[in-house]
Amino acid sequence: MTSINEKATTLLRLHKPGSPVTLPTVWDAWSANLAVTAGFQALTVGSHPVSDSIGKPDNEGITFFELLQRISQITSATDLPISVDIESGYGLEPARLIDGLVNAGAVGLNIEDVVHSEGGRLRDAQEHADVVGGLRQAADEAGVHVVINARTDLFLQQVGDDADRVDRAIARLQLAAQAGADVLYPVGRHNDSTQKRLTSELALPVNAIALPDQDDPASFGRLGVARISFGPFFQAALTAHSATLLGRWS
């Protein structure tokens, strides 16, 4: 069995701008095994699909304990590196988050800047960077280089004026990079010029979101992307296909 430090190192090394790694977004051992069988090198666990799978809403509708239960099931089913969307942190201290993830066998995390427990407010840029810094310190103290994917929802929430949103996203994510992030995630569906600007001006590998049933896998590399994930869209595509199958019998 691969050690947790080896998994963390492998996950970090997979992020290559221009030659992106695809981390399919899974939610349980079954979906994880689908991705393993398909030949992927690492996986990410999405909050929305996990919440859906246990009948609860996204945006911290589940507890961190419930999330860890599912992560343990996934890491027991596969030896691949696993990254986990921990939303905005469930109101917990960084050490608690890192210890929980590492003990469950995860070696990466996404951290959002929308605080769901406080009415969906957006953390200011330095506040979010401080959260990232706290997670990095806690991971260092745990002795595992947990791969931190710092996410901003500026585009998704359409916060502020369109005219300078890219500038503000870059400034926000640069602070997160300085605080100890490994990957930067300006979540949203971007046109090619915006995506190229993000990957060229940000100092770290950039995560992009893809529609697995519609996007061209080869289209992301030329835009400088280093990591591709699916958010809730893999589960949504399976849901649509399942509805077609089941509809023949209902």
Side-chain angles (χ1 to χ4, degrees):
M1 180 176 289
T2 309
S3 76
I4 195 160
N5 281 297
E6 289 172 321
K7 289 181 185 180
T9 299
T10 296
L11 179 59
L12 185 59
R13 287 178 177 171
L14 288 171
H15 292 78
K16 299 175 182 177
S19 182
V21 60
T22 298
L23 273 58
T25 307
V26 302
W27 54 92
D28 61 6
W30 174 79
S31 56
N33 282 326
L34 283 180
V36 170
T37 301
F40 290 94
Q41 298 173 277
L43 310 173
T44 187
V45 178
S47 67
H48 192 158
V50 167
S51 299
D52 273 354
S53 74
I54 58 176
K56 294 191 177 182
D58 192 22
N59 300 333
E60 299 187 8
I62 64 173
T63 66
F64 188 52
F65 175 73
E66 288 174 314
L67 177 64
L68 292 181
Q69 286 183 306
R70 184 52 60 86
I71 300 309
S72 295
Q73 293 165 358
I74 293 170
T75 57
S76 294
T78 176
D79 202 35
L80 291 184
I82 304 292
S83 182
V84 180
D85 179 359
I86 61 169
E87 305 202 57
S88 56
Y90 301 92
L92 300 174
E93 291 299 315
R96 173 72 183 93
L97 294 168
I98 293 295
D99 288 346
L101 291 172
V102 170
N103 288 333
V107 295
L109 64 86
N110 287 11
I111 183 69
E112 302 175 12
D113 55 1
V114 169
V115 188
H116 302 293
S117 61
E118 298 177 18
R121 75 171 181 87
L122 190 78
R123 291 184 177 117
D124 69 40
Q126 186 59 57
E127 181 187 7
H128 189 48
D130 290 344
V131 172
V132 171
L135 290 165
R136 172 56 60 217
Q137 181 180 347
D140 288 346
E141 290 172 355
V144 180
H145 189 94
V146 175
V147 178
I148 297 176
N149 189 14
R151 166 175 156 168
T152 182
D153 279 36
L154 273 178
F155 296 99
L156 206 61
Q157 302 284 340
Q158 297 186 327
V159 177
D161 196 323
D162 283 348
D164 67 346
R165 189 172 295 131
V166 177
D167 293 330
R168 287 183 287 113
I170 289 172
R172 173 176 289 260
L173 290 173
Q174 294 285 34
L175 282 177
Q178 294 164 17
D182 299 292
V183 188
L184 303 173
Y185 190 11
V187 66
R189 298 281 292 165
H190 307 301
N191 60 39
D192 286 0
S193 61
T194 297
Q195 189 68 70
K196 264 193 163 179
R197 186 178 169 203
L198 290 166
T199 58
S200 63
E201 294 188 29
L202 288 169
L204 293 175
V206 172
N207 189 159
I209 195 167
L211 303 178
D213 57 340
Q214 298 179 41
D215 287 330
D216 176 5
S219 67
F220 291 89
R222 66 173 180 265
L223 301 176
V225 170
R227 168 171 167 169
I228 301 166
S229 53
F230 299 147
F233 297 122
F234 174 42
Q235 189 185 50
L238 289 180
T239 299
H241 187 54
S242 297
T244 300
L245 291 176
L246 294 173
R248 297 180 64 239
W249 299 95
S250 63

